Amino acid sequence: MFRRTSRRRTGAALASIAVLGGCGLLPGSGSGPQQGITVGTTSEPSTLDPAASWDGSWELYRNVFQTLVAFPTGSTSPQPDAAQSCRFSDRTSRTFTCTLRRGMAFSDGTKLDAHAVKYSIDRIVRINVKAGPKGLLSSLDTVTADDDLTVTFHLNKPDATFPYVLGAPAMSIVDPATYPADRLRDDGGLTGSGPYTLESYKAGDRAVLKKNIGYQGFAQPQNDGVTIRYFHDSTTMVDALKSKRIDLTYRGITADEVEDIRQEKAAGKPFQLIENTGTEIRFLVFNPKDPHAANAAVRRAVAQVVDRDALVAKVYKGTAEPLYSMVPTGVNGHTTSFFDTFGSPSVPKARDILRKAGVNAPVPLTFWYTTDRYGSSMAAEFAELKRQLDGSGLFDVTLKSRPWKTYTQGFQAGDFPVFGRGWFPDFPDPDNFIAPFVGEENAVGTPYEPREITTRLIPQSRQISDRGAASRQFERAQDILVDDVRLLPLWQGKLCIAASDDIAGGERALDPQTVLQLWELHRKTSW
């Protein structure tokens, strides 16, 4: 559709689902849509307005809003959703035109047309939430609604990744009648055109979704509705699964809990485990506003001490693997730059780095993490990082934490010297593991301007329509990230779904953005 060559190796890695520890998902034979599925997660939306979110709120958006294009199961290139067709209408990847489906409408009956699409994208740019999704639109110049069904995106530079950007849930199409043009919607409501409507929402508790009978798009819902339960910790969530108060868990289950479910299944209990091959990454961000974190020698010494193998073994126990670049394994452009530069963890080498820079040890550092976005293992992860760094005698680490909603406010305001971030891809391309974290406005809230990356390497890579041929630029970009150590990759994870044995569709429910496509879930009706 977009005249680009797919990356078969990456596509296979991202789209495939493997069975964890021999635990399989028995194929069900559905007999039409069903009702009553409840999904548990520790990832609560930080906002209901797509113009403000570049985080896990996308889980909800994908199911209640539409984007022009999206990623159906098994696809690593964007396919039409609200659009009937899209294409670059020039040879330089600077003019991208979409034709919408006829007869589209929002859940309240308001017409969804090209003017609504233009309105939705324009308000993201106008509102410009700090560390928000405007950062995805750096190549956009203007949007025009050419007629009711035709919308054209005029880019300020060639950008072969722009169709992928339009598939991100942040680019959800909103109703101009209910979403203000210059500020966020704050009435607690949500109006979309996706596979589901939001029937009710209680922050910190649940979202109740009902099948949208007016939906037009690629999804084919296998149920009549889903309730999402939000949990503050994974222990309570897994207990709810075992007591049949929920049917499935997603995001936040710990390695110990994965092993527990595996053992219960082996003992004949009615559970299943499904594992995504995983492009989730975890990394540390160093804030240059802090005098210690701003010192490159301090950052390099931290990188020299951190033992990823020990971290993964002690905390994640086979559900993650060490990561030595910002681009994860299985994605084009992946390297092992941090290992190539720093090698195995070494306290003497780290001490020498500090000594040559005239830095006295121990260096005081404050590490922040969120208590409820990435699951209950975050506390153990940061305790292990503190143990390693303090144990070297070179650092004195203080740990602090906040719930995600106030955590985002903190790192966006530049309040945290060093903090942890996780990243689930906006779209399956190496660009999305580097570009969001650089520039004046970025997803981590700390301005970072490596000029070679922002002015040369990323623009060069975006002129390449065959995304598999852009690896050279991303490999060089990662060398620069290693030199700066403003971002320190830690591990690459596997996303695990734990479910009761009567739930089917889990093997198709994870899209290449690792967003749960709730419409694929249904109950088994035969064995």
Side-chain angles (χ1 to χ4, degrees):
M1 180 179 79
F2 297 119
R3 301 178 183 174
R4 62 178 72 249
T5 301
S6 63
R7 291 177 286 110
R8 294 180 181 176
R9 177 172 175 268
T10 302
L14 291 173
S16 66
I17 303 250
V19 176
L20 182 62
C23 301
L25 182 65
L26 296 175
S29 59
S31 60
Q34 304 150 358
Q35 196 171 16
I37 294 176
T38 301
V39 173
T41 180
T42 60
S43 180
E44 179 188 356
S46 60
T47 173
L48 296 183
D49 193 324
S53 174
W54 203 349
D55 62 19
S57 305
W58 289 12
E59 299 282 0
L60 182 62
Y61 300 168
R62 174 58 77 212
N63 291 281
V64 296
F65 289 106
Q66 276 184 286
T67 46
L68 287 170
V69 295
F71 297 89
T73 298
S75 171
T76 56
S77 61
Q79 304 298 320
D81 189 16
Q84 180 178 350
S85 63
C86 292
R87 67 184 182 88
F88 277 109
S89 53
D90 65 345
R91 295 184 177 181
T92 60
S93 299
R94 294 185 60 164
T95 307
F96 191 72
T97 300
C98 290
T99 302
L100 275 67
R101 300 175 187 265
R102 292 185 179 275
M104 298 279 290
F106 293 102
S107 57
D108 63 358
T110 305
K111 182 170 71 171
L112 192 166
D113 57 13
H115 302 281
V117 175
K118 170 179 167 56
Y119 182 92
S120 301
I121 302 300
D122 283 347
R123 74 185 292 268
I124 293 173
V125 176
R126 181 179 301 172
I127 296 172
N128 191 18
V129 173
K130 184 174 176 59
K134 181 187 174 184
L136 287 167
L137 296 170
S138 61
S139 63
L140 179 64
D141 187 8
T142 60
V143 186
T144 57
D146 305 327
D147 55 44
D148 280 356
L149 296 179
T150 308
V151 59
T152 299
F153 300 88
H154 306 273
L155 309 184
N156 52 40
K157 53 194 170 187
D159 186 359
T161 70
F162 191 76
Y164 291 71
V165 170
L166 289 180
M171 303 299 135
S172 295
I173 305 168
V174 300
D175 183 354
T178 55
Y179 289 82
D182 56 358
R183 60 182 174 82
L184 298 177
R185 181 173 176 175
D186 58 6
D187 64 356
L190 188 156
T191 310
S193 59
Y196 298 96
T197 59
L198 182 65
E199 293 296 290
S200 65
Y201 179 80
K202 183 179 180 182
D205 183 29
R206 71 189 63 203
V208 179
L209 309 185
K210 182 180 178 181
K211 181 181 176 182
N212 179 9
I213 60 174
Y215 165 72
Q216 295 187 56
F218 68 81
Q220 298 181 15
Q222 300 299 304
N223 57 70
D224 285 333
V226 176
T227 296
I228 306 173
R229 288 281 310 280
Y230 299 113
F231 293 88
H232 294 294
D233 63 82
S234 60
T235 301
T236 307
M237 180 172 67
V238 172
D239 285 345
L241 175 67
K242 291 182 178 180
S243 61
K244 300 185 181 300
R245 288 178 286 127
I246 63 174
D247 300 299
L248 180 147
T249 72
Y250 182 58
R251 294 235 194 268
I253 188 170
T254 68
D256 286 337
E257 289 158 349
V258 168
E259 179 61 24
D260 178 52
I261 294 292
R262 181 192 290 120
Q263 291 177 1
E264 295 223 5
K265 176 178 172 57
K269 298 293 181 65
F271 298 118
Q272 56 181 311
L273 286 166
I274 309 158
E275 181 191 14
N276 181 266
T277 50
T279 52
E280 171 194 4
I281 67 171
R282 191 68 50 80
F283 58 98
L284 294 177
V285 182
F286 292 87
N287 185 353
K289 289 184 177 181
D290 178 79
H292 300 294
N295 190 324
V298 171
R299 302 194 300 266
R300 292 179 66 82
V302 171
Q304 187 64 73
V305 169
V306 168
D307 187 338
R308 295 169 176 82
D309 286 323
L311 177 66
V312 167
K314 291 182 178 181
V315 179
Y316 292 101
K317 302 177 182 178
T319 60
E321 59 184 34
L323 181 63
Y324 296 96
S325 73
M326 291 300 290
V327 178
T329 303
V331 176
N332 181 56
H334 167 74
T335 69
T336 56
S337 298
F338 274 86
F339 185 83
D340 297 340
T341 300
F342 294 101
S344 298
S346 171
V347 173
K349 289 181 180 179
R351 182 180 296 111
D352 194 48
I353 291 171
L354 295 177
R355 180 186 58 79
K356 288 181 178 179
V359 178
N360 295 323
V363 180
L365 288 172
T366 301
F367 279 35
W368 282 84
Y369 65 93
T370 179
T371 57
D372 58 355
R373 170 66 179 100
Y374 305 118
S376 303
S377 296
M378 282 294 283
E381 176 177 336
F382 273 73
E384 172 62 16
L385 289 172
K386 174 179 169 61
R387 185 196 69 78
Q388 293 180 13
L389 294 169
D390 287 358
S392 72
L394 303 178
F395 301 95
D396 181 11
V397 175
T398 299
L399 298 182
K400 293 187 177 181
S401 62
R402 288 183 185 175
W404 179 251
K405 284 189 176 181
T406 55
Y407 188 75
T408 57
Q409 296 168 5
F411 72 70
Q412 289 170 5
D415 294 340
F416 303 160
V418 185
F419 58 97
R421 278 298 309 266
W423 189 251
F424 308 97
D426 305 325
F427 49 85
D429 189 275
D431 183 282
N432 195 237
F433 291 94
I434 293 178
F437 311 126
V438 297
E440 181 66 24
E441 298 177 355
N442 60 51
V444 295
T446 57
Y448 176 32
E449 294 271 7
R451 302 297 295 172
E452 184 179 352
I453 294 178
T454 58
T455 64
R456 188 162 69 87
L457 295 175
I458 290 177
Q460 284 179 357
S461 72
R462 289 178 175 176
Q463 295 181 48
I464 303 173
S465 59
D466 178 357
R467 303 305 297 157
S471 60
R472 181 175 61 84
Q473 285 79 9
F474 293 111
E475 290 167 2
R476 170 58 188 154
Q478 290 174 89
D479 289 340
I480 295 169
L481 296 180
V482 171
D483 290 340
D484 292 347
V485 199
R486 285 282 301 277
L487 308 168
L488 181 62
L490 296 174
W491 55 262
Q492 174 178 350
K494 302 173 183 177
L495 293 175
C496 184
I497 291 177
S500 60
D501 220 11
D502 65 335
I503 295 298
E507 78 279 25
R508 290 185 52 81
L510 292 173
D511 75 357
Q513 299 161 304
T514 64
V515 171
L516 196 64
Q517 299 181 142
L518 297 174
W519 58 83
E520 296 286 0
L521 301 174
H522 57 96
R523 293 191 184 277
K524 299 173 184 176
T525 55
S526 66
W527 299 87

